[in-house]
Amino acid sequence: MIIETMDFGFVEIREEDIINFPLGVYAFREHKKFVVLQNPDSAWMLHLQSIDGPKPRFILLDPYMFVSDYSPILPSEADEIFGTRDPSKLSIFVIAFIPGNIRDMTVNFKSPIIIDFDRKIGAQLILENPGYEVRTRLFGSEDE
Amino acid sequence: MLVITRKSSESILIGNDIRVTVLEISEGKVKIGIEAPKHVNIVRTEVLETINANIDAVLAESPRDLNLLKSRIIKRKEKN
């Protein structure tokens, strides 16, 4: 099927690539089907694109690019959705907010996108870790 | 910030019709009961923060300058 994406125009996707988000994601609960598209210009950037239209889509990054000891403590909802609270059995991505000025970019370590690619189920869960924040700036003002 | 110390089962009032009661304290967690009128929206702070961050992330335009972004990330990694 062909979907309209936010960043790459119309894209053909396969039914089997659709990830079901039974709860949607926060603020966009009504959108329950997404695909993960790799940015053709940079393989490390993934686009979680709703199949319903150009929006919503989220830019996903590997948290370990930024925090090598990222150790998410999953809430009990993980058991209901994925049948496990063990993060090593799941794929975990942080949502990036990338404004016009890259220096002001933030990532959300507190509420990552979690995907079980085998069962094609995904969710955004708020972690139990007290130290992680929803908007973590990556670059200081000295990074020019 | 106003700071008040309360024991288990003690409460505070906010205005005339919002009562916050400490129900249980154990293992670094506090269980709180809130009685408030129906129109008062009560949400965990991190839920509202996540909602707002998601809205901002969705409204952001397609990322540009990916090479610059990558070099910044690499530079940051080298520093840490």
Side-chain angles (χ1 to χ4, degrees):
Chain A
M1 68 185 279
I2 291 175
I3 61 165
E4 187 179 1
T5 69
M6 173 85 182
D7 307 298
F8 314 121
F10 290 90
V11 169
E12 178 149 26
I13 60 158
R14 299 179 307 173
E15 294 280 346
E16 59 262 39
D17 291 334
I18 294 172
I19 313 282
N20 293 292
F21 280 67
L23 307 175
V25 296
Y26 283 95
F28 300 93
R29 291 294 194 200
E30 68 278 22
H31 298 280
K32 302 199 188 290
K33 287 178 188 289
F34 288 82
V35 283
V36 176
L37 305 172
Q38 204 167 41
N39 188 306
D41 295 323
S42 37
W44 47 276
M45 180 175 279
L46 301 176
H47 296 231
L48 182 69
Q49 172 69 56
S50 163
I51 70 163
D52 302 326
K55 287 178 186 173
R57 79 85 174 80
F58 299 90
I59 305 293
L60 303 185
L61 297 175
D62 173 5
Y64 300 96
M65 278 206 304
F66 310 109
V67 183
S68 55
D69 60 351
Y70 188 61
S71 39
I73 304 169
L74 303 186
S76 55
E77 294 103 293
D79 258 333
E80 293 152 37
I81 299 166
F82 299 110
T84 179
R85 289 176 77 172
D86 179 356
S88 70
K89 296 191 170 131
L90 303 162
S91 297
I92 301 196
F93 304 98
V94 286
I95 295 177
F97 168 58
I98 307 177
N101 188 345
I102 286 173
R103 209 179 59 187
D104 297 325
M105 169 177 172
T106 63
V107 295
N108 181 347
F109 288 116
K110 181 69 174 174
S111 12
I113 294 289
I114 300 169
I115 298 176
D116 178 339
F117 280 104
D118 293 331
R119 293 172 59 217
K120 300 183 175 65
I121 297 176
Q124 183 179 28
L125 297 179
I126 296 179
L127 301 181
E128 303 268 324
N129 306 63
Y132 293 155
E133 289 179 353
V134 168
R135 294 178 200 255
T136 300
R137 283 180 75 104
L138 295 178
F139 311 117
S141 47
E142 75 277 13
D143 292 304
E144 279 305 331
Chain B
M1 189 194 290
L2 173 66
V3 178
I4 303 173
T5 303
R6 302 271 66 193
K7 295 178 190 145
S8 192
S9 86
E10 290 182 339
S11 63
I12 59 164
L13 287 169
I14 300 171
N16 292 323
D17 49 13
I18 300 176
R19 184 198 297 269
V20 179
T21 308
V22 176
L23 298 176
E24 197 184 307
I25 307 168
S26 71
E27 291 167 27
K29 286 186 186 180
V30 181
K31 201 176 266 181
I32 296 169
I34 302 165
E35 295 156 85
K38 274 214 172 83
H39 68 268
V40 176
N41 193 23
I42 300 168
V43 61
R44 289 187 297 151
T45 307
E46 56 270 31
V47 170
L48 189 61
E49 286 177 349
T50 297
I51 287 171
N52 289 334
N54 278 1
I55 291 170
D56 286 345
V58 163
L59 292 181
E61 288 173 23
S62 297
R64 289 170 288 125
D65 302 331
L66 295 181
N67 289 332
L68 173 67
L69 179 56
K70 190 171 190 188
S71 68
R72 282 239 168 118
I73 291 173
I74 290 169
K75 219 166 95 185
R76 184 181 181 279
K77 234 183 188 169
E78 286 165 353
K79 238 197 292 186
N80 292 349

